[in-house]
Amino acid sequence: MCALFSQVFSAILTVLTILPSSIHLLLRPTKVNFLLSLSISALGFFLFSFQVHEKSILLAALPVALLLPHFPLLSVWFQVVASFSMFPLLKRDGATLEYGSVTILFIVASLLVYRRTFSQQGKLLVPVIISFLGMLALHVLEASVKPPLRLPDLFPVLFAIFCCAHFCLFFLVLNGIQFGAACEFWGQSGHRKHKTS
């Protein structure tokens, strides 16, 4: 009975959280709004649906990646956090080296391609840098500190809490951008032009 209630509650919550974005898309159907709504729907499903696997974040990472030309800093940040969230799973599969190599390569390539755009978003770089330092600190702690015997899953839980906070933030920011409250703040002045195209 409790499991059934949880499933129904999760289903209702998922629908309610993605409904405003979907309605907005129906009223203002543009390419950027479509990508934003797709990202919000996938992220809402990941955050609020019942028993989601870690790899389900890839369903949100794909549409957010398509937002790269429009919101490069946000998109790059999301991709790095999404990869970071899967680290405990990748580590169990013995893919730590591949994870580190691809993540570093992606960050370096993004800096080379979008260096000028990033430099114009000074205030937004601060939380991104703090976030990256937080991920680095968790990696260093996980590699150098042995968890206590009574808390064997300490680091996977810390990774999950850290990433959950980020994904909740991304969910709010993407909604803010779609509804026009944050698009200029994130450096995409063209989003308002797309509303009429």
Side-chain angles (χ1 to χ4, degrees):
M1 186 67 181
C2 185
L4 179 61
F5 173 79
S6 298
Q7 292 173 19
V8 173
F9 180 76
S10 294
I12 293 172
L13 189 60
T14 303
V15 171
L16 289 177
T17 52
I18 67 177
L19 196 58
S21 171
S22 302
I23 293 173
H24 183 269
L25 177 62
L26 287 174
L27 298 175
R28 298 190 177 182
T30 67
K31 177 184 173 183
V32 177
N33 278 343
F34 172 72
L35 294 175
L36 286 166
S37 187
L38 200 60
S39 303
I40 290 165
S41 298
L43 193 51
F45 174 83
F46 178 78
L47 287 171
F48 304 111
S49 61
F50 187 72
Q51 291 185 345
V52 176
H53 194 275
E54 298 101 313
K55 289 184 286 189
S56 296
I57 192 58
L58 296 173
L59 295 173
L62 178 58
V64 174
L66 296 176
L67 286 169
L68 189 61
H70 308 285
F71 307 99
L73 182 59
L74 179 64
S75 184
V76 168
W77 188 14
F78 186 96
Q79 303 305 321
V80 174
V81 176
S83 297
F84 179 80
S85 73
M86 293 188 294
F87 175 75
L89 179 66
L90 294 170
K91 184 182 178 182
R92 284 199 302 270
D93 292 341
T96 303
L97 179 61
E98 293 84 348
Y99 158 81
S101 303
V102 172
T103 301
I104 292 171
L105 183 63
F106 176 72
I107 293 171
V108 171
S110 301
L111 287 172
L112 291 174
V113 175
Y114 293 104
R115 180 176 53 187
R116 182 175 298 178
T117 304
F118 292 166
S119 65
Q120 295 170 352
Q121 296 181 302
K123 291 182 179 179
L124 290 174
L125 284 174
V126 175
V128 175
I129 291 171
I130 292 172
S131 171
F132 278 32
L133 290 174
M135 287 185 271
L136 181 61
L138 276 174
H139 274 311
V140 171
L141 284 172
E142 189 270 340
S144 60
V145 178
K146 189 175 181 180
L149 291 176
R150 61 189 181 89
L151 297 172
D153 296 319
L154 174 64
F155 289 111
V157 170
L158 290 177
F159 274 66
I161 293 171
F162 183 90
C163 294
C164 181
H166 278 73
F167 292 139
C168 289
L169 174 65
F170 289 134
F171 185 79
L172 294 174
V173 168
L174 288 168
N175 272 283
I177 291 173
Q178 183 175 353
F179 285 93
C183 56
E184 291 182 0
F185 185 69
W186 279 94
Q188 216 290 337
S189 57
H191 178 60
R192 296 192 182 276
K193 296 176 183 176
H194 281 291
K195 288 183 177 180
T196 58
S197 61

